[in-house]
Amino acid sequence: MRKAVSLIFLAALLLTACGSTAQTAPTATAVPTAAPTLALAAERPQCTVEASLPAVDPDEAARFAPVTAEDWVIGPMDAKITLLEYSDFMCPYCAQIAPILEQVAKDNPEDVRFVYRHFPLPSHDKSTLASQAAEAAGKQGKFWDMYDLLFAQQSTWINKTMEEFRPWLIEQAKTLELDMDTFTA
Protein backbone atom coordinates (compact mmCIF):
# COMPACT_ATOMS: atom_id res chain seq x y z
CA MET A 1 0.00 0.00 0.00
CA ARG A 2 2.93 2.34 0.75
CA LYS A 3 4.17 1.79 -2.80
CA ALA A 4 0.73 2.74 -4.18
CA VAL A 5 0.65 5.95 -2.15
CA SER A 6 4.17 6.79 -3.36
CA LEU A 7 3.09 6.27 -6.96
CA ILE A 8 -0.02 8.39 -6.44
CA PHE A 9 2.15 11.22 -5.13
CA LEU A 10 4.44 10.85 -8.15
CA ALA A 11 1.43 10.87 -10.47
CA ALA A 12 0.11 14.07 -8.94
CA LEU A 13 3.49 15.76 -9.40
CA LEU A 14 3.76 14.71 -13.05
CA LEU A 15 0.21 15.71 -13.92
CA THR A 16 0.58 19.20 -12.49
CA ALA A 17 3.44 19.82 -14.93
CA CYS A 18 1.07 19.56 -17.91
CA GLY A 19 -1.46 22.24 -16.98
CA SER A 20 -1.97 25.47 -18.87
CA THR A 21 -1.31 28.79 -17.18
CA ALA A 22 -4.73 30.02 -18.26
CA GLN A 23 -6.60 27.16 -16.65
CA THR A 24 -5.60 24.55 -14.14
CA ALA A 25 -6.49 20.92 -14.76
CA PRO A 26 -7.60 18.80 -11.83
CA THR A 27 -5.12 15.96 -11.36
CA ALA A 28 -5.16 12.42 -10.08
CA THR A 29 -6.54 12.57 -6.57
CA ALA A 30 -6.04 10.30 -3.61
CA VAL A 31 -8.14 10.84 -0.53
CA PRO A 32 -5.98 9.91 2.46
CA THR A 33 -7.50 9.64 5.90
CA ALA A 34 -4.38 11.12 7.50
CA ALA A 35 -1.32 13.00 6.34
CA PRO A 36 1.30 10.25 5.89
CA THR A 37 4.95 10.92 5.21
CA LEU A 38 6.30 9.30 2.06
CA ALA A 39 9.83 8.10 1.47
CA LEU A 40 10.49 7.82 -2.27
CA ALA A 41 13.80 6.01 -2.35
CA ALA A 42 13.08 2.79 -4.24
CA GLU A 43 15.66 3.33 -6.97
CA ARG A 44 18.33 5.27 -5.05
CA PRO A 45 18.60 4.17 -1.41
CA GLN A 46 21.08 6.96 -0.63
CA CYS A 47 18.61 9.65 -1.73
CA THR A 48 15.42 10.02 0.30
CA VAL A 49 12.77 12.59 -0.53
CA GLU A 50 10.09 13.15 2.07
CA ALA A 51 6.84 14.95 1.55
CA SER A 52 3.74 15.39 3.62
CA LEU A 53 0.37 15.03 1.99
CA PRO A 54 -2.10 17.53 3.36
CA ALA A 55 -5.42 16.33 4.70
CA VAL A 56 -8.15 16.68 2.11
CA ASP A 57 -10.59 19.50 2.75
CA PRO A 58 -14.13 18.07 2.34
CA ASP A 59 -15.23 21.22 0.50
CA GLU A 60 -12.38 20.79 -1.99
CA ALA A 61 -13.16 17.10 -2.52
CA ALA A 62 -16.79 18.02 -3.27
CA ARG A 63 -15.68 20.07 -6.29
CA PHE A 64 -15.06 16.88 -8.24
CA ALA A 65 -18.14 15.36 -9.82
CA PRO A 66 -18.98 11.98 -8.33
CA VAL A 67 -18.00 8.90 -10.28
CA THR A 68 -20.90 7.66 -12.39
CA ALA A 69 -21.65 5.03 -15.01
CA GLU A 70 -20.63 7.64 -17.62
CA ASP A 71 -17.00 7.53 -16.43
CA TRP A 72 -14.35 5.12 -17.67
CA VAL A 73 -13.41 3.08 -14.61
CA ILE A 74 -11.03 0.28 -13.74
CA GLY A 75 -11.52 -1.19 -10.26
CA PRO A 76 -14.33 -1.61 -7.75
CA MET A 77 -16.75 1.19 -6.89
CA ASP A 78 -16.04 0.64 -3.17
CA ALA A 79 -12.24 0.90 -3.50
CA LYS A 80 -10.32 2.54 -0.64
CA ILE A 81 -8.49 4.84 -3.07
CA THR A 82 -9.86 6.51 -6.18
CA LEU A 83 -7.41 7.89 -8.73
CA LEU A 84 -9.38 10.50 -10.65
CA GLU A 85 -7.43 11.55 -13.72
CA TYR A 86 -8.36 14.42 -15.99
CA SER A 87 -6.18 13.86 -19.01
CA ASP A 88 -5.31 14.95 -22.52
CA PHE A 89 -4.17 12.36 -25.10
CA MET A 90 -1.68 14.85 -26.57
CA CYS A 91 -0.04 15.66 -23.23
CA PRO A 92 3.40 14.02 -23.04
CA TYR A 93 3.26 13.87 -19.24
CA CYS A 94 -0.16 12.20 -19.34
CA ALA A 95 1.28 9.61 -21.73
CA GLN A 96 4.16 8.95 -19.32
CA ILE A 97 1.94 8.50 -16.29
CA ALA A 98 -0.85 6.50 -17.99
CA PRO A 99 0.80 3.06 -17.76
CA ILE A 100 1.87 3.74 -14.16
CA LEU A 101 -1.66 4.64 -13.06
CA GLU A 102 -3.06 1.57 -14.81
CA GLN A 103 -0.43 -0.63 -13.19
CA VAL A 104 -1.22 0.73 -9.73
CA ALA A 105 -4.88 -0.12 -10.32
CA LYS A 106 -4.00 -3.61 -11.61
CA ASP A 107 -1.59 -4.29 -8.72
CA ASN A 108 -4.23 -3.28 -6.16
CA PRO A 109 -7.48 -4.61 -7.66
CA GLU A 110 -9.44 -4.47 -4.40
CA ASP A 111 -8.08 -1.19 -3.07
CA VAL A 112 -7.70 1.14 -6.07
CA ARG A 113 -10.20 2.47 -8.57
CA PHE A 114 -8.85 4.36 -11.59
CA VAL A 115 -11.25 6.84 -13.21
CA TYR A 116 -10.40 8.51 -16.51
CA ARG A 117 -11.99 11.77 -17.65
CA HIS A 118 -11.17 13.71 -20.80
CA PHE A 119 -9.58 17.13 -20.39
CA PRO A 120 -8.44 18.20 -23.86
CA LEU A 121 -6.37 21.35 -23.64
CA PRO A 122 -7.17 24.10 -26.16
CA SER A 123 -3.49 24.36 -27.08
CA HIS A 124 -3.45 20.73 -28.27
CA ASP A 125 -5.04 20.68 -31.73
CA LYS A 126 -5.76 16.94 -31.94
CA SER A 127 -6.86 16.35 -28.35
CA THR A 128 -10.58 16.65 -28.97
CA LEU A 129 -10.50 14.31 -31.97
CA ALA A 130 -8.41 11.80 -30.00
CA SER A 131 -10.97 11.95 -27.17
CA GLN A 132 -13.79 11.43 -29.66
CA ALA A 133 -11.97 8.41 -31.11
CA ALA A 134 -11.60 6.91 -27.62
CA GLU A 135 -15.30 7.50 -26.94
CA ALA A 136 -16.25 5.97 -30.30
CA ALA A 137 -14.13 2.93 -29.48
CA GLY A 138 -15.73 2.85 -26.03
CA LYS A 139 -19.19 2.51 -27.60
CA GLN A 140 -17.89 -0.79 -28.95
CA GLY A 141 -16.31 -1.89 -25.67
CA LYS A 142 -12.77 -0.88 -26.67
CA PHE A 143 -12.22 2.40 -24.81
CA TRP A 144 -9.20 1.11 -22.88
CA ASP A 145 -7.72 -0.40 -26.04
CA MET A 146 -7.90 2.97 -27.79
CA TYR A 147 -6.65 4.71 -24.62
CA ASP A 148 -3.59 2.42 -24.57
CA LEU A 149 -3.02 2.85 -28.29
CA LEU A 150 -3.25 6.65 -28.27
CA PHE A 151 -0.84 7.03 -25.37
CA ALA A 152 1.57 4.27 -26.49
CA GLN A 153 1.79 5.66 -30.03
CA GLN A 154 1.62 9.34 -29.13
CA SER A 155 5.04 10.03 -30.68
CA THR A 156 3.74 8.59 -33.97
CA TRP A 157 0.72 10.86 -34.33
CA ILE A 158 1.41 13.97 -32.26
CA ASN A 159 3.16 15.86 -35.09
CA LYS A 160 0.69 14.85 -37.79
CA THR A 161 -1.62 17.45 -39.27
CA MET A 162 -5.36 17.04 -38.71
CA GLU A 163 -5.63 15.85 -42.32
CA GLU A 164 -3.04 13.12 -41.57
CA PHE A 165 -4.39 12.31 -38.11
CA ARG A 166 -7.95 11.41 -39.19
CA PRO A 167 -6.88 8.58 -41.55
CA TRP A 168 -4.34 7.43 -38.97
CA LEU A 169 -7.13 7.08 -36.39
CA ILE A 170 -9.24 5.10 -38.85
CA GLU A 171 -6.34 2.72 -39.53
CA GLN A 172 -5.80 2.24 -35.79
CA ALA A 173 -9.52 1.60 -35.28
CA LYS A 174 -9.26 -1.16 -37.88
CA THR A 175 -6.42 -2.78 -35.92
CA LEU A 176 -8.75 -2.82 -32.89
CA GLU A 177 -11.33 -4.60 -35.07
CA LEU A 178 -13.94 -1.90 -34.58
CA ASP A 179 -17.01 -1.61 -36.77
CA MET A 180 -15.86 1.23 -39.00
CA ASP A 181 -19.31 2.62 -39.82
CA THR A 182 -20.09 2.94 -36.12
CA PHE A 183 -16.62 4.34 -35.36
CA THR A 184 -16.70 7.04 -38.04
CA ALA A 185 -20.29 8.03 -37.25
Side-chain angles (χ1 to χ4, degrees):
M1 189 64 183
R2 185 178 180 116
K3 181 179 177 184
V5 173
S6 297
L7 289 173
I8 292 165
F9 180 71
L10 175 63
L13 288 175
L14 286 174
L15 291 174
T16 58
C18 189
S20 162
T21 56
Q23 64 189 67
T24 304
T27 58
T29 304
V31 182
T33 55
T37 299
L38 304 177
L40 304 175
E43 296 175 8
R44 294 189 213 168
Q46 75 279 6
C47 177
T48 301
V49 177
E50 293 188 8
S52 291
L53 294 176
V56 175
D57 177 3
D59 292 332
E60 183 177 330
R63 282 191 271 173
F64 294 102
V67 178
T68 69
E70 300 297 314
D71 288 308
W72 297 104
V73 179
I74 296 173
M77 291 301 282
D78 63 345
K80 294 176 187 172
I81 296 173
T82 295
L83 299 174
L84 179 57
E85 179 188 23
Y86 286 76
S87 184
D88 176 341
F89 285 115
M90 279 190 74
C91 170
Y93 303 105
C94 296
Q96 289 176 353
I97 199 68
I100 295 169
L101 294 175
E102 279 190 278
Q103 193 62 49
V104 169
K106 287 177 186 174
D107 289 349
N108 302 280
E110 302 299 317
D111 296 327
V112 175
R113 171 176 64 163
F114 173 55
V115 180
Y116 180 87
R117 292 182 178 164
H118 299 287
F119 193 80
L121 296 172
S123 60
H124 292 161
D125 64 336
K126 292 174 282 302
S127 293
T128 300
L129 187 56
S131 295
Q132 291 169 343
E135 288 294 320
K139 289 186 183 293
Q140 298 183 47
K142 302 266 184 143
F143 174 84
W144 293 108
D145 296 321
M146 183 62 79
Y147 166 97
D148 290 338
L149 186 148
L150 287 167
F151 277 136
Q153 295 189 31
Q154 186 186 72
S155 63
T156 303
W157 62 266
I158 198 165
N159 291 320
K160 291 184 180 298
T161 65
M162 284 297 273
E163 292 73 29
E164 297 168 328
F165 184 50
R166 283 185 181 93
W168 183 87
L169 279 173
I170 290 169
E171 287 304 311
Q172 301 313 306
K174 288 177 185 175
T175 68
L176 297 178
E177 300 177 356
L178 298 176
D179 175 272
M180 295 313 298
D181 289 334
T182 304
F183 180 77
T184 56

